[in-house]
Amino acid sequence: MQAQLQQRPYNFSAGPAALPAEVLETAAAEMLDWHGSGMSVMEMSHRGKEFISIYEQAESDLRELLAVPKDFHILFMQGGGLAENAIVPLNLSRGGKVDFVVTGAWSQKSAGEAKRYADVHIAASNEASGFTALPEPSNWQLRRDAAYVHLCSNETIHGVEFHEIPDLKALGSDAPLVIDFSSQQLSRPLDWSRVGLAFGGAQKNIGPAGLTLVFVRNNLLGHALQACPSAFNYQTVAQAQSMFNTPPTYGIYMAGLVFQWLKRFSYRGRNALAAIEQRNIDKAELLYSTLDGSGMFINRVAHNARSRMNVPFFLRDERLNDAFLADARERRLLQLKGHKSVGGMRASIYNAMPLEGVQALVDLMRDFEARHG
Amino acid sequence: MQAQLQQRPYNFSAGPAALPAEVLETAAAEMLDWHGSGMSVMEMSHRGKEFISIYEQAESDLRELLAVPKDFHILFMQGGGLAENAIVPLNLSRGGKVDFVVTGAWSQKSAGEAKRYADVHIAASNEASGFTALPEPSNWQLRRDAAYVHLCSNETIHGVEFHEIPDLKALGSDAPLVIDFSSQQLSRPLDWSRVGLAFGGAQKNIGPAGLTLVFVRNNLLGHALQACPSAFNYQTVAQAQSMFNTPPTYGIYMAGLVFQWLKRFSYRGRNALAAIEQRNIDKAELLYSTLDGSGMFINRVAHNARSRMNVPFFLRDERLNDAFLADARERRLLQLKGHKSVGGMRASIYNAMPLEGVQALVDLMRDFEARHG
């Protein structure tokens, strides 16, 4: 079996994204019979003792890995980040004012959707930079009476990441901070003292598409608008331990396997989340330093804003794009084409991507430059 | 492998529910490498050619199996039937009048949720019968100007099924009919000429929880309320071929495998949907005739309203409930406990349940009655 694992290609998809091979192996082995139950996890009642044990283990492992404080609920929901763009203001805005920090396509989309429910104000934007920098927090135009402030801590399309979550209190705001951390979650620790709510689709670092994670501080519940569907009312979902409606049970199971994998993960003397963060740093440094040392390839994001997870890059001569992608496929480096709104290439190097995968990409870039440069 | 399949228990869960063993076998075999792509289906971009081919095949197979007319969109969504209780009125009510036919827990819940968005009227209810009969259509109090009429074509909890979809036109109404057919879909043909919209969670006859199917006639699109989240706006989802947001890709893949299984299915000289319907009829007749012939077990639903999919039944002496469930577990007959709101037992005998499974249940009932009767 090990031989088979070694031969897997490196998959740079932005999401749904690569999963650890050993997680997939376990899922395959347990597909017809989970732990002697005689059932696939897909066939279990979500209220039966077998699935409840899977859910509770997953919730507890995630809480431990991310050091989620006791006053935060972890909700396992559906609809992805895009649905949360509506669900967050339905639950938190009270129909009042909400402030947005726009750093790329995702925060822009979030702001647009919130206008259905709230008075939306763009407190800061990096659009003038072509979404290649972070707006300086001291210049943000925050409103005193905003119900919350929204930012996207990692922009999957533009490759812009907040490496430190801003401290709204230090900026003179008492509003809770909402972060869309779809493509950042579980790649590094999070400072929960600066966050009121964090949400993200699972299909980056956690599991299959169709599962959404919402982490929400207890004191933000209970203010949903009348128009909020019951199935997306955070208080209702929290009170029912994410089983108000049938949750995406298989996605929760897969996420649980990923959490177990991450708890076992070690790297350069570190363990679990600290280990994966260090490997993510090393992967990003290897890729960005290669880009910066190249005359053929370029990444345009400001150094302090470069995402560890999503690295958009361009060939200075775009006529070579197809040749590069063809060479990549030949070396079994998959899904490197950039998002259609940005063009060029994008390497998404989430938790499941080993350092060897980035090394293989870097080797390709150097060889390609030697041949075509 | 055949030996392993033979040893699987019979799983009577109401949902998430049993899946065909050969579907699970295929999913296990393809888990690490779908058709030589080097990727699990979970790892594929939803916009890549591999997943698009999976999606298109699934959509086309489902359309063929259920004979879905061309003017209906098939939407692959998230949130289950419970979320649809809000999403339907958000899309179709125009904030006006909607009429509900209440035949059990699910239609009652749907009516309650719709009150957030519309003027809700209960046109008929069988609550007085304890949800054991169908209200006679000629007595329904339909409003001329209702935006739509909602009914649940099969009540999963109370085991009440419409064996014929009512013809609203014949009842003097021009309103489109909305049916919640979560636990009926794909168990039998549907008369689309009587339906404007049909929805259902996948976790009964189709695949894993987290995938919702919505079939909607083209001329009903385009009237969503301002409060409708973009991700749940049927027109938006239809225009994007269910990829406005990342769909639950693995659920769609599993559903596709189930559709393929159903297309190959044959029984008593019939094929595909006609075959599964005949087997469902035979299974239901075997179980209901045993219940009716018993002095110990009872099903209280009127004969013309008895569900082919969900059969709630009771021991006349409820002190024997635990002994019966223990005997069932010993014979590897799983998840027979009734819904907590109703008590007793419930046998859900969806498409994936073979006749042999119902025979094993019937054998247990006869043996149990012989020993305890």
Side-chain angles (χ1 to χ4, degrees), chain A residues 8-9 11 16 19 24 32 38-39 42-45 78-79 82 113 116-117 209 226-227 229-230 244-245 247 335, chain B residues 8-9 11 16 19 31-32 38-39 42-45 78-79 82 113 116-117 209 226-227 229-230 244-245 247 335:
Chain A
R8 296 200 90 213
N11 178 357
L19 289 164
L24 296 170
L32 275 94
M39 296 181 279
M42 286 184 214
E43 301 178 302
M44 293 175 183
S45 166
Q78 299 181 48
L82 216 140
E113 184 77 2
R116 297 183 184 283
Y117 314 103
Q226 170 67 16
S230 305
F244 177 69
N245 59 347
Q335 308 203 72
Chain B
R8 295 200 91 213
N11 177 358
L19 289 164
M31 181 62 83
L32 275 93
M39 296 181 281
M42 285 184 214
E43 302 178 301
M44 293 174 184
S45 166
Q78 301 181 48
L82 216 140
E113 183 76 1
R116 297 184 183 284
Y117 313 103
Q226 170 67 16
S230 304
F244 176 69
N245 59 346
Q335 308 204 71

Side-chain angles (χ1 to χ4, degrees), chain A residues 81-82 84-85 88 99-111 122 124-126 131 133-135 140 148-166 168 177-185 188 190 195 197-201 204 304-307 309-310 346 350:
Chain A
L82 216 140
E84 288 301 323
N85 287 342
V88 170
D99 289 353
F100 279 77
V101 177
V102 172
T103 53
W106 279 99
S107 42
Q108 202 165 46
K109 207 174 274 196
S110 299
I122 306 300
S125 170
N126 69 351
F131 299 125
L134 289 172
W140 295 2
Y148 63 87
V149 177
H150 175 116
L151 63 80
C152 177
S153 61
N154 183 74
E155 291 278 358
T156 316
I157 292 175
H158 288 94
V160 172
E161 180 169 7
F162 281 91
H163 290 285
E164 188 181 16
I165 299 296
L168 290 192
L177 180 65
V178 168
I179 67 170
D180 169 0
F181 77 151
S182 288
S183 49
Q184 184 188 52
Q185 67 179 325
R188 59 195 300 166
L190 180 64
V195 170
L197 184 148
F199 70 83
K204 319 291 187 180
N304 73 339
R306 285 176 162 182
S307 168
M309 295 286 104
N310 309 100
R346 176 172 47 171
Y350 297 118

Side-chain angles (χ1 to χ4, degrees), chain B residues 32-168:
Chain B
L32 275 93
D33 185 3
W34 181 83
H35 295 199
S37 67
M39 296 181 281
S40 174
V41 174
M42 285 184 214
E43 302 178 301
M44 293 174 184
S45 166
H46 53 299
R47 304 199 188 279
K49 68 178 191 318
E50 294 88 354
F51 183 74
I52 294 286
S53 76
I54 290 170
Y55 160 80
E56 288 179 347
Q57 187 71 49
E59 203 267 358
S60 146
D61 286 344
L62 178 55
R63 195 173 283 277
E64 178 187 330
L65 280 164
L66 263 184
V68 182
K70 281 195 182 130
D71 61 334
F72 276 74
H73 297 276
I74 303 180
L75 311 180
F76 295 83
M77 298 183 66
Q78 301 181 48
L82 216 140
E84 289 301 321
N85 287 342
I87 296 169
V88 170
L90 278 164
N91 277 278
L92 263 53
S93 75
R94 308 187 194 196
K97 299 178 179 180
V98 293
D99 288 354
F100 279 77
V101 177
V102 173
T103 54
W106 278 99
S107 43
Q108 201 165 45
K109 207 174 274 198
S110 299
E113 183 76 1
K115 287 180 185 159
R116 297 184 183 284
Y117 313 103
D119 165 9
V120 168
H121 163 66
I122 306 300
S125 170
N126 69 351
E127 190 168 7
S129 78
F131 299 125
T132 60
L134 288 171
E136 169 56 35
S138 59
N139 295 330
W140 296 0
Q141 305 293 315
L142 300 172
R143 295 183 292 186
R144 287 208 160 272
D145 48 354
Y148 64 87
V149 177
H150 174 116
L151 62 79
C152 177
S153 60
N154 182 74
E155 292 278 358
T156 315
I157 292 174
H158 288 94
V160 172
E161 180 169 6
F162 281 92
H163 290 285
E164 189 181 16
I165 299 295
D167 180 359
L168 290 192

Side-chain angles (χ1 to χ4, degrees), chain A residues 105 157-158 338-343:
Chain A
I157 292 175
H158 288 94
H339 190 272
K340 60 179 189 280
S341 68
V342 170

